[in-house]
Amino acid sequence: MRRQSRELSLQILFQTEFAPQMNIKDLSAVFEKTFEPSVMDYTMTVVQGVKAHIEKIDSKISTASAHWKIDRMASVDRNILRIAVYEMLMAKETLEPKIVINEAIEIAKIFGTQESSAFVNGILDQILRNERV
């Protein structure tokens, strides 16, 4: 269920990045008939959480990616990172980082480029190291 929610969150965040005028609730309504309510509930929690904390999330990503500006990252990679950072550090119920990172890597393999999974892994590992300091 969480995997579906993360993938759907990625798709919604990706779409709203290219069409900011799109309302998140309207976009999620397109998927409501396809997915179970529990999938949609967690999807909306993640999307709204990422949107609410976007500046903090992007700051953590930027700090961890010294050689990559966030606006130069592939949109898919950037949004996978945003979802993972939200789940690890900012959600009401933060999740075990190893689980979140593994999920992010698997989603990057599906939706990203050949390099995406390694890139996502490296950035999330660095964010975790920065948090433990």
Side-chain angles (χ1 to χ4, degrees):
M1 187 248 353
R2 291 263 169 118
R3 169 68 67 88
Q4 282 184 316
S5 295
R6 289 180 183 105
E7 290 178 0
L8 190 51
S9 297
L10 172 62
Q11 292 173 42
I12 291 171
L13 290 168
F14 182 86
Q15 285 292 334
T16 58
E17 199 168 274
F18 285 102
Q21 73 279 9
M22 291 184 86
N23 182 313
I24 292 171
K25 291 192 190 239
D26 292 341
L27 193 54
S28 68
V30 171
F31 298 106
E32 281 180 357
K33 292 180 177 90
T34 309
F35 295 97
E36 293 180 29
S38 59
V39 171
M40 291 308 302
D41 289 345
Y42 192 69
T43 298
M44 292 311 296
T45 298
V46 170
V47 170
Q48 290 169 341
V50 168
K51 292 287 189 182
H53 298 282
I54 194 86
E55 290 176 14
K56 278 188 204 173
I57 292 169
D58 284 358
S59 174
K60 291 189 180 298
I61 294 169
S62 293
T63 300
S65 60
H67 303 294
W68 284 91
K69 292 188 180 205
I70 196 153
D71 60 339
R72 302 276 302 160
M73 292 177 187
S75 184
V76 168
D77 297 352
R78 178 174 50 245
N79 284 298
I80 290 170
L81 291 168
R82 286 173 172 163
I83 291 166
V85 171
Y86 169 76
E87 285 188 306
M88 285 191 310
L89 305 175
M90 294 164 192
K92 284 183 184 174
E93 292 180 38
T94 55
L95 300 174
E96 175 63 37
K98 288 181 183 180
I99 293 168
V100 173
I101 292 171
N102 185 53
E103 283 287 292
I105 291 167
E106 292 304 314
I107 292 170
K109 287 177 183 176
I110 296 167
F111 292 96
T113 65
Q114 275 189 308
E115 296 83 26
S116 291
S117 59
F119 178 74
V120 165
N121 185 33
I123 299 297
L124 292 176
D125 280 345
Q126 186 60 48
I127 289 170
L128 209 53
R129 275 190 236 116
N130 291 350
E131 288 299 308
R132 291 185 175 151
V133 172

